[in-house]
Amino acid sequence: MDTERTVASTPLELPRRLLVIVFVAVGLWYLTWRVGTLNLRAPIFSALIYGAELFGFGTALLHIFMCWRLSDRRSPPPAADLSVDVFVPTYNESVELVRETLIAACAMDHPHRTWLLDDGRRPEMRALAGELGCRYLAREGREHAKAGNLNHAFAHSDGEVIVVFDADHAPRRDFLTKTLGYFEDPEVAFVQTPQDYYNLDSYQHRRRGASSEVWTEQALFFRVIQRGKDCWNAAFFCGSCAAVRRSALGRIGGFATGTVTEDLHTSLRLHAAGFRSVYHAEPLAFGLAPESIEPFITQRVRWGQGAMHVWRTEGIVSNPGLTWAQRLNYLASVLTYFDGWQKAVFYLAPIVVLLSGRMPLVTTTPQFLLHFLPYYLLTFWAFEEVGRGYGNALYIEQYNMARFAAFAWATLAWLFPTLKFKVTRKRRQGRRVLRFSAAQLAVLGGNFLAIPAGIGLYLHGHALPFAGLVANIVWAAVNCGLAAAVVRHVLIVGRSRRAHYRFPVPLPAELDFGGFVTCGTLDDLSVHGMRFYGPMPPDIAPDRPFEAQLTLPDGPLSVTGRVRGLIPVGDDSGHYKGCRATLTATVPQQRRIEQFLFGSNMQWLVNGYRDQAQTPLGWMLPSIVTRTRRSPFVDVRWNAGRITTGDGRSVQALLSTSADRSSLWAIAFVPLPQDQPVRLVLFRNTPSRPRVVTLRHAPDQEQAGLDIHVYRVTAEGSDLGLWAEDAPAQQREVA
């Protein structure tokens, strides 16, 4: 098969290419100079430090090779007659978690059959499959874990394409229509999509205060590295959020077994057999990211062990079925786990120097600074630019600290391959947190204590030169800072004990408190609760029941609820602007809420979130280097409202002004007329008259997969900013 076919791609811009060339030249200059600085009085220690530097430079070159070009895919239309089986394997995940995935999987467009593959053989899972209309399949044993489960279903199904979702990944409605078209090419074996996550408060997510930047530890891999691999026909099958051709799997004997990462193993075998892969970079499914350090570390250990098993079993550099470009791509990903040893050397080095007085290199301070500083600074700068703003070096270094021991431990599976598969527990466990932070605490304590010890030894005639003392104190302090940041993040995330993730998604809602009906805006939504902003009854009190009508993209939904807490206006008047409430919904009602929440990324749209930061070259050369696109919905406040069209149709909508009150936007779940007068009313706490405005459709602000329509609102001769400030309260007494 032709594995060298050209894929449409975007290369690094010229300024970034020049920066990379300078980085490589300076790196070679620095490492050549370093050979002459090795300390022969501490040969082992000196060689370890130099070896760690060589490893870092080598992996940087592989990273540049992978990410020089990024693929640009546009999904072709799917074949209408392509049969599809959707596999959702489970072992010990909760019924609630699996329900969310199955509901979204069943709701996907394009005819398909959804299978629940239960390796736990639980009656409640059988009942869940029956309730949702899925096929249920279990087996007697658990041989080969997830791969065995998938192969068992492979033998009991006949769909031309098999789609796999982990038990915690809920797909968008258009997942199949976005991926099946690629199989028109008979050489395509699988289509992989990003693994995005809905719980933005997880351990692997980072957000600076109220900033719109929501960065995740896997952003670089799924936004950049996989697209780069795709250019070389080397994108991975990641075990979830992917579609695989049945006939291709049959050629290699099904999903690969014998390792604990059937995904990496299967993709390597398919590539070695001459098949092609596709990486469709659009997020089409949303899962549950590890919520604490324990499942995060457990997951990384398993991935690393699996990579070592695949290396032992299939070979990488020596695999004759792979092209050299594919071998380098696979090698780069496997070598990532040896990064744990490199980091361990750098974390321990200042301790050794301060306590022993032995320097890893011998040179003068001016010479060291002349060579080290340019190389060090260019390393981070080039990483940011090659990562197109998804790298975030500061956070990456913190996660390097968090996982270095896990990565180092995982590489031992290359020598001792009998370590067993362990399913990642995504929910917070609340226990053994410090145990999984032991390595970071050791780095923190060791470097912290080494600083005063090194100073004391220096004052008592230690052999360490003063410049070396200062340099290693700074080095140890940096290590302390990284370790402390990791431990702090562990404790902050661990303090969150909310049982269910609440989505920061605003929606129009109407609450009936038994005669007092109020319209307003809800957010902080889950199947079990919400927060509501709108006028409250004068006699409102906790535990008061109500009936609510929520406006969802697929139509209004009626549920019941009960006030759990009140939200005061902010003064001592005793008045309230809203309430926190629990919801009571029937199974069909829950299904509609879950399908809306878990099968879309609306929280990213309405909040203007982004996981890409601006790089230095993006700031300096905006006309040449692609800049990060900033959403107009950053720092906006959404409020529910009502739009009445000229023909008398009344539509619930979301209305928002920007932070500077200069523009007004509307989001509706049905299409509205453009360039025609419509009457607009906002649901707020201060009285105001309705306004006549016009709407202009803004499709560039919409996100595919969401049944929403975005409009820019204009009104001639009126100040929309002032109008937004005195927006109306909508309430009425019902006899």
Side-chain angles (χ1 to χ4, degrees):
M1 294 184 183
D2 177 18
T3 58
E4 299 297 331
R5 192 180 310 169
T6 301
V7 175
S9 62
T10 301
L12 279 173
E13 300 92 332
L14 180 60
R16 284 173 165 163
R17 279 180 271 167
L18 294 175
L19 176 67
V20 167
I21 292 171
V22 172
F23 160 71
V24 173
V26 171
L28 292 172
W29 170 66
Y30 169 77
L31 292 171
T32 302
W33 169 78
R34 278 283 283 115
V35 173
T37 67
L38 295 177
N39 187 355
L40 300 181
R41 305 180 72 179
I44 297 177
F45 179 49
S46 186
L48 278 175
I49 299 296
Y50 186 59
E53 290 182 298
L54 286 175
F55 176 86
F57 185 69
T59 54
L61 294 180
L62 286 173
H63 181 70
I64 292 168
F65 168 75
M66 286 192 300
C67 303
W68 189 265
R69 296 182 297 136
L70 303 185
S71 65
D72 294 316
R73 298 280 190 177
R74 298 293 181 269
S75 58
D81 58 347
L82 201 60
S83 59
V84 179
D85 284 311
V86 178
F87 291 170
V88 180
T90 181
Y91 171 52
N92 63 357
E93 294 85 0
S94 69
V95 172
E96 181 182 36
L97 187 65
V98 178
R99 173 191 292 276
E100 297 162 358
T101 298
L102 289 180
I103 288 173
C106 291
M108 287 189 297
D109 298 329
H110 190 92
H112 63 283
R113 294 175 297 182
T114 301
W115 299 70
L116 177 57
L117 314 180
D118 181 22
D119 255 8
R121 300 187 300 277
R122 293 176 285 172
E124 58 268 32
M125 286 298 175
R126 181 185 293 273
L128 176 64
E131 172 195 328
L132 299 179
C134 303
R135 298 197 177 193
Y136 177 83
L137 189 62
R139 55 185 179 141
E140 289 301 319
R142 289 196 59 250
E143 187 178 10
H144 300 307
K146 180 181 175 182
N149 195 5
L150 293 173
N151 284 330
H152 182 245
F154 180 79
H156 285 78
S157 59
D158 58 9
E160 297 169 83
V161 173
I162 294 171
V163 177
V164 182
F165 295 111
D166 279 346
D168 61 349
H169 263 97
R172 272 178 16 185
R173 291 184 63 98
D174 59 346
F175 183 94
L176 296 178
T177 58
K178 289 282 189 176
T179 56
L180 295 182
Y182 291 108
F183 290 102
E184 288 295 304
D185 181 350
E187 296 185 3
V188 170
F190 66 89
V191 179
Q192 179 66 55
T193 69
Q195 292 186 3
D196 271 30
Y197 303 93
Y198 62 79
N199 55 326
L200 306 185
D201 59 350
S202 81
Y203 180 79
Q204 66 187 46
H205 285 89
R206 294 299 185 96
R207 185 179 177 187
R208 294 190 182 99
S211 168
S212 63
E213 289 184 21
V214 183
W215 183 85
T216 176
E217 182 252 0
Q218 293 191 59
L220 181 64
F221 179 75
F222 284 114
R223 303 287 187 262
V224 179
I225 294 176
Q226 277 279 63
R227 288 178 63 194
K229 289 177 178 292
D230 193 29
C231 293
W232 299 106
N233 189 31
F236 288 172
F237 166 54
C238 298
S240 182
C241 312
V244 191
R245 189 189 298 271
R246 173 178 290 274
S247 59
L249 278 175
R251 281 273 302 275
I252 64 169
F255 293 94
T257 60
T259 63
V260 297
T261 49
E262 82 294 331
D263 43 14
L264 174 65
H265 197 176
T266 299
S267 59
L268 190 147
R269 283 188 174 180
L270 288 169
H271 283 138
F275 287 102
R276 297 191 60 80
S277 59
V278 167
Y279 182 68
H280 183 82
E282 182 181 10
L284 297 176
F286 308 93
L288 181 67
E291 294 182 323
S292 66
I293 190 172
E294 179 179 351
F296 175 85
I297 293 298
T298 301
Q299 190 178 65
R300 270 62 184 172
V301 168
R302 178 171 62 84
W303 291 350
Q305 290 172 350
M308 298 304 109
H309 295 166
V310 172
W311 195 352
R312 284 175 55 94
T313 304
E314 301 292 337
I316 293 179
V317 177
S318 61
N319 192 306
L322 300 177
T323 65
W324 275 106
Q326 289 173 327
R327 298 181 201 188
L328 290 175
N329 274 275
Y330 277 102
L331 178 64
S333 294
V334 171
L335 287 179
T336 295
Y337 298 97
F338 289 91
D339 181 72
W341 294 106
Q342 182 216 30
K343 298 302 180 186
V345 169
F346 289 151
Y347 298 152
L348 296 176
I351 301 175
V352 173
V353 173
L354 290 171
L355 297 183
S356 70
R358 296 289 186 182
M359 291 285 291
L361 69 163
V362 179
T363 186
T364 63
T365 299
Q367 280 293 313
F368 173 75
L369 295 177
L370 174 65
H371 290 81
F372 175 76
L373 286 181
Y375 174 61
Y376 183 82
L377 295 175
L378 282 170
T379 296
F380 283 96
W381 190 5
F383 176 80
E384 291 286 354
E385 300 297 342
V386 172
R388 274 77 162 183
Y390 292 103
N392 205 318
L394 178 61
Y395 284 150
I396 284 288
E397 286 304 314
Q398 291 183 28
Y399 281 101
N400 284 338
M401 171 66 74
R403 64 197 179 194
F404 84 93
F407 277 13
W409 172 261
T411 60
L412 298 179
W414 198 91
L415 298 174
F416 310 104
T418 57
L419 295 173
K420 295 183 178 180
F421 171 88
K422 185 175 182 180
V423 176
T424 303
R425 294 181 293 179
K426 301 294 181 69
R427 299 290 188 188
R428 291 186 176 92
Q429 303 302 313
R431 295 178 295 176
R432 300 187 294 170
V433 169
L434 291 181
R435 171 189 165 190
F436 281 84
S437 304
Q440 293 73 42
L441 290 171
V443 171
L444 176 59
N447 281 270
F448 182 78
L449 295 175
I451 292 175
I455 294 173
L457 291 172
Y458 174 80
L459 294 176
H460 287 79
H462 205 289
L464 192 65
F466 179 74
L469 173 69
V470 173
N472 281 276
I473 287 175
V474 172
W475 191 353
V478 170
N479 289 342
C480 286
L482 287 174
V486 170
V487 174
R488 179 177 179 272
H489 184 57
V490 169
L491 296 176
I492 290 175
V493 172
R495 281 201 297 267
S496 178
R497 289 290 181 263
R498 177 171 279 177
H500 304 94
Y501 179 71
R502 295 287 187 90
F503 286 77
V505 175
L507 287 175
E510 181 179 278
L511 272 57
D512 184 347
F513 289 95
F516 185 98
V517 179
T518 176
C519 295
T521 311
L522 69 82
D523 68 359
D524 206 29
L525 177 64
S526 77
V527 172
H528 305 279
M530 68 176 187
R531 187 167 49 199
F532 176 83
Y533 291 96
M536 293 285 100
D539 57 345
I540 189 68
D543 208 40
R544 181 165 176 175
F546 60 82
E547 294 182 0
Q549 180 171 280
L550 318 182
T551 300
L552 298 179
D554 60 350
L557 173 67
S558 296
V559 295
T560 60
R562 191 172 293 274
V563 174
R564 184 170 58 86
L566 298 171
I567 304 174
V569 172
D571 52 26
D572 298 327
S573 63
H575 297 123
Y576 301 98
K577 62 182 179 181
C579 65
R580 295 180 296 275
T582 56
L583 296 178
T584 303
T586 64
V587 171
Q589 291 168 343
Q590 289 182 13
R591 190 180 305 179
R592 287 186 57 193
I593 296 174
E594 289 172 332
Q595 184 176 323
F596 163 66
L597 292 177
F598 296 100
S600 77
N601 56 349
M602 188 171 174
Q603 62 177 330
W604 286 78
L605 171 67
V606 296
N607 294 295
Y609 292 155
R610 60 180 180 177
D611 54 3
Q612 184 182 22
Q614 200 64 262
T615 66
L617 285 178
W619 284 113
M620 292 186 288
L621 303 170
S623 62
I624 303 175
V625 175
T626 303
R627 294 196 61 168
T628 301
R629 180 186 176 191
R630 189 177 189 271
S631 168
F633 303 143
V634 175
D635 298 327
V636 301
R637 294 185 178 276
W638 294 99
N639 295 273
R642 179 181 295 115
I643 295 176
T644 304
T645 61
D647 58 3
R649 184 164 54 113
S650 181
V651 176
Q652 300 279 34
L654 291 171
L655 307 165
S656 179
T657 55
S658 60
D660 59 4
R661 311 293 181 186
S662 61
S663 61
L664 184 69
W665 297 87
I667 290 180
F669 299 138
V670 294
L672 295 172
Q674 291 192 75
D675 299 324
Q676 298 178 20
V678 297
R679 185 177 295 270
L680 187 152
V681 172
L682 204 63
F683 300 158
R684 290 279 294 269
N685 286 322
T686 55
S688 173
R689 61 185 177 85
R691 288 292 179 126
V692 176
V693 301
T694 57
L695 306 177
R696 170 65 63 179
H697 190 211
D700 58 319
Q701 302 302 330
E702 298 173 359
Q703 296 187 20
L706 295 175
D707 296 324
I708 68 169
H709 306 271
V710 179
Y711 301 90
R712 183 183 288 275
V713 182
T714 59
E716 293 185 6
S718 66
D719 186 338
L720 290 176
L722 293 177
W723 172 80
E725 287 291 346
D726 62 1
Q730 296 295 310
Q731 62 181 29
R732 66 183 186 274
E733 296 286 349
V734 179

